[in-house]
Amino acid sequence: MKLLLLPALVVLAVFAAALAALFRWSLLEFVPGSLQTGGLTLANLRGVLAPQYLGAIRDTVVLSALTTVLTLVAAYPVAYALARTPSRRVRSAILVLTLAPFFTGAIVRTYAWVLVLGNTVLAWPVPMLFTERGVLVGLVHFSMPTMILVLAAALSHIDPVYERARSRCRCRASSPAASSCSRGRSRRFPPPSCWAAAGSR
Amino acid sequence: MIANVVKDLGLDSFNWPGAAAFAMLALALTLALLTALGRLAAGRPS
């Protein structure tokens, strides 16, 4: 049985070695104008937080947060339809359309977005190409298939009975039984943050 | 974005130690966000 773990351990060791090499490089001194490095130093790690780089770090955090939120908002209805539709044809169509971007290369998709976001195909009221808006559109498109599949997998494990019970609880919110109803709901119905967190990872 | 800084430092300036330091920063940011998200989803705000 332990022998089966061997391939996973080999992969882990390769990843760990790569990370260790990266960390070692970050501790070496940069010699300007030379490909050789100097001795050990912490200057590189301190330089990461230099004022000229804070804008890049802020942009990365803001863009990734916006991408996560917009992808979640855009992917949730599609994932819900994928998980709940009774029609096999509709499910297959959604699945094929969701998986289609996986079959095209990242560079091909990027050039397709360059055509769409530029003013060659459509006339945009605001500049899209080479702006943060365009980057956001590309990132959301890149993340959506993964988010849809993860959300659909999470939603498909929830019995629709709970959703119907939840909607009844909403209807009886003013009734005396509402408190016991909400207690039961919180015990049985997974909070939406769980699915959102699963997709956002 | 951090990826552009890494590319500029590594391929344009040949400052590989600086690029590696930024890559470590990106990795640390990702791990911190994932940890925070995991705690948030589990109902244990950090």
Side-chain angles (χ1 to χ4, degrees), chain A residues 25-151:
Chain A
W25 266 102
S26 71
L27 294 177
L28 294 176
E29 188 185 359
F30 170 57
V31 182
S34 166
L35 292 179
Q36 302 295 320
T37 51
L40 294 175
T41 177
L42 287 174
N44 298 312
L45 294 175
R46 274 199 299 267
V48 157
L49 296 176
Q52 69 262 33
Y53 295 131
L54 290 182
I57 296 170
R58 188 201 61 223
D59 286 350
T60 302
V61 172
V62 169
L63 267 177
S64 53
L66 281 174
T67 303
T68 306
V69 171
L70 290 178
T71 309
L72 184 62
V73 169
Y76 188 82
V78 185
Y80 192 84
L82 183 63
R84 289 287 182 260
T85 181
S87 164
R88 290 181 67 180
R89 281 188 180 179
V90 173
R91 194 181 304 126
S92 298
I94 294 174
L95 208 54
V96 167
L97 288 173
T98 304
L99 293 177
F102 283 131
F103 296 111
T104 54
I107 294 175
V108 175
R109 269 185 284 167
T110 307
Y111 274 102
W113 274 116
V114 168
L115 283 177
V116 173
L117 296 179
N119 287 327
T120 49
V121 179
L122 294 169
W124 296 94
V126 289
M128 294 293 283
L129 203 57
F130 305 121
T131 63
E132 285 195 357
R133 282 184 295 272
V135 174
L136 195 58
V137 169
L139 286 173
V140 169
H141 176 247
F142 179 79
S143 315
M144 265 194 74
T146 313
M147 180 74 94
I148 289 171
L149 293 178
V150 171
L151 284 182

Side-chain angles (χ1 to χ4, degrees), chain A residues 169-199:
Chain A
C169 281
R170 275 207 197 112
C171 296
R172 294 178 193 162
S174 58
S175 70
S179 60
S180 62
C181 189
S182 65
R183 275 202 304 275
R185 183 182 69 193
S186 64
R187 263 204 308 273
R188 291 172 189 158
F189 198 77
S193 62
C194 291
W195 327 325

